[in-house]
Every structure is written in structure tokens, then in C-alpha cells.
């Protein structure tokens, strides 16, 4: 199932998406008789989704997706954990070697943005870059789990753009500020539940900027695969329901690629991962 969070007549809510049609939370309540929570996190992780699972066939998808403004699917995750250099080709283009263990960056939740929104970049940033990533949404609290157990801890997947200010990154000598600006974590367009994806380790992925291909790869090219990522992170920190883990980007970013331009005001970015939809954002530089 695909679960989206959006604005409907200016009011935040959520719903299920099928073939560009939507059944809103109000539709779900009306058609199933189940008084599901108004909170998307409660709906996803506190049993409400299970309550309607056998009733989904009753739903009518009566609304066009274009009627709604899409928001980041998870509004307030406890953690956003991003992996660095987890694709061998990306590590190589950055003159690095893919690490044996996860190298991580934490993004603030204030960086989240939805599909269709603007990536707002301060005008003092000179080198704005994109990074398509497969994001994992954690479905249960877990600590010190095995890779086998980690498969059951994944609720679903979405597309994630790990936007980065490269000049700030090199000025600071670390990633926190460069990746932490508001709107520097567009994601979505919705969460696709894990049961919808046959093999998350074999999904085509691409980035286009103004229609031109920049990144063209597959999640099979990850150095550390998803169950290992979740397991190893759980040895460091307790993973909680709704946490987002973004699993790294393949080659093709602007940094260290001669002839590839950094993002400019008005650029349109379209990211696609097989089975997960498309994440679309426009770059806007502002004082």
C-alpha cells in the first residue's frame, strides 16, 4: 500500500494512493467504519493500519492526487539517519573508498519537505548538490537486532533527496550544517509498504535535472545492504517507529564531476525509484 500525507482544503491529513487516485482518511473512516487515528504516525505504527488491512478492498479512490499538496510522509521522525559513501561508484568519484561500516550523518526533521515543494537555499550557498537515496522507514522499536530480524523492522520505503551545500561542507570539514538547512530533505512522494516491494535491493533509480539525466543506477549497487544497515545502526542507537534511514547515493552528483553543474535557481529535480513513484522539487535561492 502507498500512504501519503497531504493538505486537503488547507487541513493536514493522510490517505491511501492507488493509480494517482486517493482515498482520504475521512473516506477510510466512512467506508470501513473504523475510527482510525487522525495522526499518520498512530495510523501507521499503533495498529490502525492493521485494523483496516482486510477492508482495503472496500475503499473507493474517489479523489485525484493532483487535488492535494503532498507533505513529507512522516512529520516528526525521532531520527533521520543518512549514510555516506554507501555506493562504491559514488565513493570512487569522491576519491574515497566505500566503508566497511556505516558512516552516518544526522539530519534535523526541520529539513523535511514533500514532493512538489521548493528546496529553499540561502543565497550564500555556492555549490548546491542533489543525492537520490532509497529511504527506509522503521516500523518498530529495536535495539541490537540481527540482519535477519532487521527485515521485519522495516515498515516501508520512500525516495529521499539528501540535498547538500558542498561549499559549506568543505568549509566546515563535516556534514551537519551543509545537509541540515530547512527543506534539504525532500522525501516521498508517499511511503510504500515493504510488502509491495519484491526486492528492495534491486530497484532502478534515477535523477533528472531539467529533464537531463544526472544519476542512473540501481539499489543493488549499495556497498552495505539494507538489513545490515538496520542491524548495525541498531547496535549504535535504539531505532524507533517512524525513524528514517537514508541508504546512500550512487555516482552522478555534481561534486567532483567536471562538466556537471551544481543546482541553480529554478532548476527542476525529478527523482524516481522503481515502484516508489517520483519525487519532484524546484530549487529556489533566497536571501
Amino acid at each position: 500500500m502507498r500512504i501519503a500525507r497531504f493538505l486537503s482544503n488547507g487541513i493536514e491529513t493522510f490517505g491511501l494512493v492507488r493509480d494517482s487516485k486517493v482515498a482520504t482518511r475521512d473516506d477510510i473512516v466512512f467506508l470501513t467504519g473504523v475510527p482510525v487515528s487522525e495522526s499518520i504516525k498512530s495510523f501507521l505504527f499503533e495498529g490502525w493500519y492493521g485494523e483496516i488491512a482486510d477492508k482495503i478492498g472496500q475503499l473507493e479512490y474517489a479523489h485525484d492526487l493532483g487535488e492535494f499538496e503532498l507533505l513529507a510522509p512522516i512529520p516528526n521522525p525521532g531520527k533521520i539517519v543518512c549514510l555516506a559513501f554507501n555506493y562504491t561508484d559514488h565513493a570512487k568519484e569522491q576519491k574515497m573508498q566505500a566503508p566497511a561500516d556505516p558512516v552516518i550523518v544526522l539530519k534535523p526533521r526541520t529539513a523535511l519537505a514533500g514532493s512538489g515543494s521548493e528546496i529553499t537555499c540561502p543565497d550564500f550557498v555556492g555549490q548546491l548538490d542533489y543525492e537520490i537515496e532509497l529511504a527506509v522507514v522503521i516500523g518498530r522499536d529495536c535495539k541490537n537486532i540481527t540482519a535477519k530480524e532487521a527485515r521485519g523492522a522495516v515498515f516501508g520505503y520512500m525516495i529521499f533527496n539528501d540535498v547538500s551545500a558542498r561549499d559549506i561542507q568543505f568549509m566546515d570539514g563535516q556534514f551537519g550544517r551543509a545537509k541540515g538547512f530547512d527543506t534539504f530533505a525532500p522525501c516521498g512522494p508517499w511511503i510504500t509498504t515493504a510488502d509491495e516491494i519484491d526486492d528492495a535491493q534491486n530497484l532502478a533509480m534515477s535523477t533528472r535535472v531539467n529533464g537531463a539525466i544526472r544519476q542512473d543506477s540501481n539499489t543493488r549497487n549499495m556497498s552495505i545492504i539494507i538489513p545490515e544497515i538496520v542491524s548495525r545502526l541498531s547496535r549504535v542507537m535504539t531505532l524507533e517507529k517512524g525513524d528514517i534511514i537514508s541508504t546512500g547515493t550512487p555516482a552522478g552528483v555534481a561534486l567532483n564531476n567536471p562538466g556537471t553543474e551544481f543546482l541553480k535557481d529554478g532548476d527542476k529535480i525529478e527523482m524516481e525509484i522503481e515502484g516508489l513513484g517520483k519525487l519532484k522539487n524546484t530549487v529556489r535561492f533566497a536571501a
Side-chain angles (χ1 to χ4, degrees):
M1 187 54 60
R2 296 166 178 83
I3 306 104
R5 176 173 159 259
F6 44 73
L7 292 179
S8 176
N9 297 318
I11 299 172
E12 180 186 321
T13 187
F14 60 87
L16 306 182
V17 179
R18 185 179 68 188
D19 299 328
S20 298
K21 304 290 282 187
V22 175
T24 67
R25 182 254 174 199
D26 287 347
D27 295 333
I28 295 168
V29 172
F30 179 75
L31 292 169
T32 68
V34 178
V36 299
S37 171
E38 295 183 1
S39 161
I40 189 170
K41 287 187 72 175
S42 294
F43 174 70
L44 296 178
F45 309 123
E46 302 299 335
W48 291 106
Y49 179 72
E51 282 284 318
I52 68 159
D54 63 346
K55 301 178 177 66
I56 287 176
Q58 303 174 22
L59 298 178
E60 296 178 9
Y61 294 76
H63 308 277
D64 291 327
L65 184 61
E67 296 175 26
F68 307 101
E69 178 185 342
L70 290 169
L71 304 173
I74 299 289
N76 54 346
K79 295 180 285 297
I80 304 171
V81 185
C82 301
L83 269 68
F85 312 119
N86 194 38
Y87 283 71
T88 303
D89 56 356
H90 173 61
K92 184 177 179 180
E93 74 180 351
Q94 302 309 313
K95 302 176 175 57
M96 304 284 290
Q97 186 171 5
D101 282 303
V103 173
I104 64 173
V105 181
L106 297 177
K107 282 207 175 197
R109 64 190 182 194
T110 48
L112 290 172
S115 185
S117 66
E118 291 186 343
I119 298 168
T120 304
C121 181
D123 58 9
F124 58 79
V125 171
Q127 297 179 335
L128 187 67
D129 212 344
Y130 50 85
E131 295 186 7
I132 186 173
E133 307 197 0
L134 173 66
V136 172
V137 179
I138 296 297
R140 64 177 177 86
D141 295 356
C142 49
K143 176 68 176 174
N144 293 327
I145 60 173
T146 66
K148 183 177 180 180
E149 291 168 332
R151 298 179 186 276
V154 175
F155 178 83
Y157 305 96
M158 59 184 180
I159 306 168
F160 191 96
N161 185 357
D162 185 13
V163 182
S164 306
R166 301 301 191 187
D167 49 338
I168 303 295
Q169 176 180 321
F170 286 102
M171 182 189 308
D172 292 355
Q174 50 91 9
F175 296 97
R177 185 164 69 111
K179 293 175 176 283
F181 290 93
D182 290 355
T183 73
F184 273 30
C187 58
W190 41 71
I191 297 170
T192 300
T193 52
D195 62 308
E196 293 275 330
I197 303 300
D198 291 333
D199 184 1
Q201 219 61 68
N202 186 24
L203 301 176
M205 58 197 311
S206 65
T207 299
R208 295 179 183 274
V209 178
N210 301 326
I213 193 76
R214 294 287 188 91
Q215 294 178 284
D216 186 10
S217 189
N218 191 291
T219 58
R220 64 172 171 261
N221 296 322
M222 286 184 199
S223 177
I224 308 170
I225 63 173
I226 293 164
E228 284 292 338
I229 292 170
V230 175
S231 172
R232 295 185 200 185
L233 289 179
S234 78
R235 300 176 200 169
V236 178
M237 62 189 77
T238 299
L239 298 176
E240 301 169 301
K241 297 185 289 284
D243 281 353
I244 297 168
I245 301 173
S246 201
T247 56
T249 197
V253 299
L255 181 66
N256 290 338
N257 271 307
T260 302
E261 294 183 338
F262 288 104
L263 296 168
K264 306 181 302 298
D265 186 72
D267 279 352
K268 297 186 181 302
I269 307 168
E270 181 178 286
M271 294 182 164
E272 183 173 7
I273 297 181
E274 183 180 355
L276 303 186
K278 295 181 180 180
L279 178 67
K280 301 178 182 181
N281 299 96
T282 300
V283 175
R284 190 64 62 204
F285 279 78

